[in-house]
Amino acid sequence: MTIVSKVEQAPSPAEGERDLTDGFHLVIDALKLNGVKTIYGVPGIPITDFGRMAQAEGIRVLSFRHEQNAGYAASIAGFLTQKPGICLTVSAPGFLNGLTALAHATTNCFPMILISGSSEREIVDLQQGDYEEMDQLAIAKPLCKAAFRILHAQDIGIGLARAIRAAVSGRPGGVYLDLPAKLFGQVMDAETGRKSLVKVIDPAPAQIPSQESIRRALDVLKGAKRPLIILGKGAAYAQADDAIQRLVDKSGVPFLPMSMAKGLIPDTHPQCAGAARSTVLKDSDVVMLIGARLNWLLSHGKGKTWGDATKKFIQIDIEPKEMDSNVEIAAPVVGDIGSCVSALLAGMEAGWAAAPAEWTAAVAKKRDENVAKMAPRLMNNNSPMDYHGALGVLRTIIAERPDAILVNEGANTLDLARGVIDMHQPRKRLDVGTWGVMGIGMGYAIAAAVETGKPVLAVEGDSAFGFSGMEVETICRYNLPVCVVIFNNNGIYRGTDVNAAGRDPATTVFVKDSRYDKMMEAFGGVGVHVTTPDELKRAVAKAMDSRQPTLINAAIDPAAGSESGRIGNLNPQSVLKKK
Ligand code: ADP
Ligand code: TPW
Ligand code: MG
């Protein structure tokens, strides 16, 4: 008897012989049937052979050093491709390591499936102490959009179809798929197995907004004296780039991109209000949100950030429950962004009046003033470097290579890079997202390189880098075009804190003048240590053009940063006097 892996190429069975398949191959065939090309994970019992077989069957299986990084890679692969990114882990500890990323995917509305092997159900349920025993399904459930377990080989097709649909339809999110060890070895007739597989048709169906909601939104927009469009990462995810561009152009409305929506329309577009953020939030009277939630990142749509003027909100989102989540939404438009924006465009009759010139001129003036104020700071060649001097050159690097992908995390390193580095193309800026989580860096960089083939520039705070730094080995192993720049200011926010109590170092500082570049050299990559913006520029340009794995340790003035970057106001204050 032969175990048949490629069901579609199964030879006709010889007389009296039935071809068989098994759980391993059915999962692989189901993934392939649904277009999965890459799996991010860490091997071990019970999925080591699964990884080998998937690789043999032509799926790219990328092995990481820690599941959390593989999970972040899968989550951003989902964002970039609109297909669920797949993360594969072992049971209990591997599963838990991957779970943070699954929760992150759900929070950020990225489609992802965490597939974990699990231990024997009968033993787990009686809590008899199996190898890596854990009730993974129960633990995953509250942290993701949906969670499934497959117990029988004949259910693999349906189980994967459910997982894929749950991840990508409606508001995308993380899905957990539990595959007990026993499933992989289950054998069934190959032909029956092939027939049991499901190719998911139209996994994320268009969701057409009602005509009434479109009319209402256009009425509100028409009445605006100071309109603003806010583009969120949902708009970037939706890949409705042309329609959004046409809406912005036709309406003449200033737009503000949220962090990961930067570049959806170039930051250099005349209507971009990125450099006039406080003014447009405060002074606008009608705000159209496209794939952006009114969460903490937008001060919940109220308070002094939003000024005194009464605002009317138009919100375009695929998730009906998002409407009125923080403030009243005057014109909810529920549907997928492509369909909604196209319907709005269709409803804007010829001769639609562009946004009032008085307002657009005021926004442009404010923006130009702010840009002019910043310009000289970006041109300094100080050593030790400050953030602006270093970021000024990275801004040029990206302007010269607009198709490169920028990954960014840290506190000052994040907030200042977001403000300084203009993005020119959609989905090129990948960062900490809704939670402001540290640790996405290397996972995102690896997936970005793998999924797009473009060179990646990862701009990392020294603390941020530490959360996923071991994956530089992975970058070298797969020879990926990733250039990591570490803004090394000797610590979290600043490198200057001292512990008044003596003994141990302060909680926010690291070993002084660490040479992270040597880490890259340890694995055969290029390591460079730089102390001036000129040196930084040369090193990054070389790395991006050579596509060689590179880590540049950029020494930043330890006193240059501020506590928590731009969000220091969120720190609770003690009323007690310091000792
Ligand atoms: P940002 O952090 O950039 O402000 P958020 O993550 O808060 O963005 O918001 C993204 C929003 O986009 C979510 O509310 C999500 O439901 C929505 N969304 C995601 N994909 C689509 C889509 N294809 N069509 C409509 N809305 C979408
Ligand atoms: C998973 C808290 C926010 S920002 C940051 C930490 C630890 C590091 C800032 O230092 P870095 O940048 O990266 O050196 P810089 O330029 O300001 O010096 N754990 C998680 N997520 C978060 N957000 C934290 C801790 C945090
Ligand atoms: Mg730092």
Side-chain angles (χ1 to χ4, degrees):
M1 286 199 220
T2 32
I3 301 267
V4 175
S5 56
K6 272 203 164 168
V7 179
E8 65 272 26
Q9 287 174 13
S12 5
E15 198 70 22
E17 184 184 304
R18 276 170 59 224
D19 286 326
L20 298 179
T21 186
D22 62 10
F24 285 110
H25 291 90
L26 285 165
V27 175
I28 293 165
D29 291 338
L31 290 171
K32 284 179 70 176
L33 184 64
N34 285 290
V36 170
K37 297 198 165 54
T38 312
I39 294 175
Y40 302 90
V42 176
I45 296 171
I47 48 105
T48 314
D49 265 351
F50 176 80
R52 291 192 184 107
M53 292 177 198
Q55 203 168 34
E57 293 291 331
I59 295 183
R60 195 159 189 209
V61 184
L62 288 119
S63 266
F64 281 66
R65 305 300 293 260
H66 190 293
E67 291 87 352
Q68 188 174 105
N69 305 317
Y72 286 139
S75 76
I76 207 67
F79 170 77
L80 289 167
T81 63
Q82 297 183 315
K83 295 214 169 91
I86 309 286
C87 176
L88 178 68
T89 78
V90 302
S91 18
F95 157 77
L96 286 173
N97 283 345
L99 202 52
T100 310
L102 187 69
H104 165 84
T106 307
T107 297
N108 284 275
C109 316
F110 300 159
M112 165 181 172
I113 303 175
L114 174 67
I115 303 180
S116 293
S118 60
S119 308
E120 287 228 26
R121 283 260 39 91
E122 292 80 356
I123 304 182
V124 172
D125 288 348
L126 278 171
Q127 299 176 30
Q128 293 172 315
D130 201 7
Y131 168 72
E132 297 193 345
E133 173 179 299
M134 176 170 276
D135 189 357
Q136 296 169 195
L137 187 72
I139 289 165
K141 248 179 208 167
L143 297 172
C144 59
K145 195 178 161 193
F148 305 104
R149 172 158 50 227
I150 306 176
L151 291 175
H152 303 296
Q154 62 265 32
D155 294 331
I156 286 172
I158 285 294
L160 271 150
R162 299 215 73 189
I164 292 167
R165 268 198 199 280
V168 297
S169 60
R171 169 183 279 176
V175 173
Y176 175 60
L177 187 60
D178 193 87
L179 303 184
K182 268 193 193 166
L183 177 77
F184 292 105
Q186 285 180 23
V187 173
M188 69 186 284
D189 171 67
E191 179 61 12
T192 316
R194 190 184 62 76
K195 286 190 182 145
S196 74
L197 299 184
V198 177
K199 185 169 166 57
V200 179
I201 310 293
D202 196 12
Q207 300 201 10
I208 313 292
S210 75
Q211 275 306 319
E212 195 190 345
S213 72
I214 294 295
R215 262 196 308 274
R216 195 184 294 119
L218 288 173
D219 282 348
V220 172
L221 187 61
K222 212 178 234 173
K225 294 201 173 60
R226 299 178 305 280
L228 172 68
I229 291 174
I230 298 183
L231 300 170
K233 58 177 157 346
Y237 172 79
Q239 300 197 15
D241 309 343
D242 290 348
I244 291 172
Q245 173 91 52
R246 272 186 285 130
L247 179 72
V248 166
D249 287 342
K250 179 154 186 162
S251 68
V253 173
F255 70 93
L256 182 68
M258 299 299 287
S259 200
M260 280 177 59
K262 274 168 69 82
L264 181 46
I265 298 173
D267 283 332
T268 48
H269 188 283
Q271 283 157 252
C272 182
R277 187 178 192 274
S278 358
T279 302
V280 289
L281 291 183
K282 199 149 45 60
D283 295 344
S284 53
D285 63 349
V286 167
V287 179
M288 179 186 281
L289 298 155
I290 308 184
R293 286 170 286 185
L294 281 176
N295 55 16
W296 71 280
L297 287 158
L298 284 169
S299 309
H300 304 281
K302 53 200 172 194
K304 66 177 192 302
T305 309
W306 290 89
D308 300 326
T310 42
K311 310 262 174 206
K312 281 192 176 161
F313 287 97
I314 303 167
Q315 183 160 26
I316 303 181
D317 205 290
I318 203 158
E319 175 58 67
K321 290 202 299 287
E322 190 56 41
M323 307 298 159
D324 307 322
S325 58
N326 284 268
V327 296
E328 179 184 286
I329 302 299
V333 182
V334 175
D336 74 90
I337 286 167
S339 302
C340 294
V341 173
S342 301
L344 286 170
L345 278 165
M348 291 163 83
E349 71 276 18
W352 174 273
E358 200 184 330
W359 165 241
T360 54
V363 174
K365 179 162 174 281
K366 186 73 201 170
R367 181 200 60 211
D368 294 346
E369 280 167 18
N370 288 344
V371 168
K373 230 184 278 170
M374 173 109 84
R377 301 181 67 187
L378 300 178
M379 278 155 49
N380 86 65
N381 198 33
N382 296 344
S383 181
M385 287 185 272
D386 58 28
Y387 285 92
H388 287 88
L391 288 169
V393 303
L394 298 184
R395 176 183 204 253
T396 308
I397 294 274
I398 292 293
E400 290 169 354
R401 296 164 189 77
D403 64 343
I405 295 190
L406 179 70
V407 171
N408 189 199
E409 61 176 335
N412 295 279
T413 304
L414 175 85
D415 292 345
L416 295 170
R418 181 193 295 123
V420 169
I421 303 180
D422 284 336
M423 302 308 295
H424 308 272
Q425 293 181 10
R427 294 169 295 283
K428 301 297 185 195
R429 185 184 156 84
L430 310 176
D431 68 24
V432 298
T434 304
W435 270 342
V437 63
M438 296 299 110
I440 49 90
M442 297 306 102
Y444 272 24
I446 290 167
V450 166
E451 299 290 339
T452 71
K454 305 287 183 203
V456 177
L457 175 62
V459 180
E460 302 271 315
D462 51 341
S463 164
F465 172 72
F467 287 72
S468 68
M470 193 62 212
E471 303 296 347
V472 294
E473 187 276 331
T474 312
I475 292 170
C476 290
R477 183 162 21 104
Y478 293 101
N479 194 27
L480 297 172
V482 174
C483 171
V484 183
V485 174
I486 297 187
F487 275 32
N488 187 357
N489 64 347
N490 294 343
I492 298 174
Y493 313 141
R494 298 162 76 87
T496 50
D497 258 11
V498 280
N499 170 8
R503 223 164 77 110
D504 290 332
T507 55
T508 54
V509 301
F510 299 145
V511 167
K512 238 167 109 57
D513 304 329
S514 296
R515 291 290 300 273
Y516 293 98
D517 47 312
K518 308 255 186 209
M519 280 176 70
M520 202 62 153
E521 289 175 355
F523 304 110
V526 178
V528 191
H529 174 65
V530 301
T531 57
T532 68
D534 280 348
E535 285 170 11
L536 175 63
K537 185 167 183 198
R538 274 197 299 276
V540 179
K542 188 169 171 209
M544 298 297 281
D545 297 341
S546 72
R547 298 175 63 98
Q548 276 188 298
T550 302
L551 190 153
I552 299 165
N553 184 58
I556 301 284
D557 180 354
S562 53
E563 177 99 353
S564 301
R566 289 263 165 89
I567 54 172
N569 59 309
L570 298 180
N571 283 303
Q573 300 290 321
S574 169
V575 293
L576 303 178
K577 283 214 174 100
K578 283 191 191 135
K579 277 194 201 152

